[in-house]
Amino acid sequence: MKLTKQFVADFFNNLEIGQQDKFFSQVSPNVLWQVMGTHPLAGIYRTKQEFIEHTFTRLHKMLNGGPILKVNNIFIVEEEPVAIVEMLQLSSSIYGNPFNNTYCWIVKFQDSMIIEVRAYLDSALVQQLISETGG
């Protein structure tokens, strides 16, 4: 598979339009997902289910409409099927406060499926959200 910006943009657009199930349908069940930082959502998740339960499910309880991520930039690594995806969080907390976090995900693909992710984000904003909402 030759990875293209258009493929990645179409795939990640599901996170902006609220079709997270469609996005996660193309994530390997045995994905290795590392959430970097020093906040309570940080960690190494070795399955899709574990990642979803500890991050997205938790964020759904703290954010109006759940996590909505808009892609700002996509960079393709030519030597291997890897994309670097920069995103902005478009959600607000359940109390209406903005949650304008930024993300950089380094995403490795195999046969059109995500098999590995390293996610970088603002730890202080995540901690602030968790403290505010009791999440």
Side-chain angles (χ1 to χ4, degrees):
M1 168 194 138
K2 176 149 174 61
L3 193 61
T4 66
K5 280 187 176 185
Q6 190 60 55
F7 171 80
V8 175
D10 292 345
F11 182 60
F12 273 78
N13 186 55
N14 291 309
L15 294 175
E16 183 177 351
I17 61 173
Q19 293 186 354
Q20 293 171 356
D21 288 344
K22 191 171 182 180
F23 173 85
F24 282 111
S25 73
Q26 290 184 266
V27 173
S28 170
N30 298 313
V31 68
L32 174 60
W33 205 304
Q34 300 175 70
V35 179
M36 310 309 242
T38 57
H39 53 86
L41 302 182
I44 298 174
Y45 304 101
R46 300 192 187 283
T47 68
K48 173 172 54 176
Q49 190 61 36
E50 183 182 25
F51 170 74
I52 291 170
E53 286 175 7
H54 288 92
T55 61
F56 269 67
T57 299
R58 198 164 170 191
L59 287 168
H60 269 280
K61 297 173 185 173
M62 296 183 276
L63 298 171
N64 284 324
I68 305 295
L69 304 171
K70 177 179 176 38
V71 171
N72 290 336
N73 285 305
I74 298 170
F75 304 94
I76 303 296
V77 177
E78 297 289 330
E79 299 80 36
E80 50 187 297
V82 171
I84 301 165
V85 183
E86 295 178 331
M87 295 173 286
L88 175 65
Q89 178 74 246
L90 300 178
S91 307
S92 60
S93 77
I94 55 174
Y95 298 115
N97 296 321
F99 182 64
N100 298 329
N101 212 333
T102 56
Y103 300 83
C104 181
W105 289 5
I106 301 171
V107 183
K108 185 172 184 178
F109 290 85
Q110 184 177 50
D111 300 325
S112 303
M113 296 283 286
I114 291 177
I115 61 166
E116 189 175 328
V117 179
R118 280 192 317 269
Y120 298 87
L121 55 141
D122 186 330
S123 291
L125 280 177
V126 173
Q127 184 59 60
Q128 180 181 341
L129 175 69
I130 290 170
S131 296
E132 173 192 341
T133 62

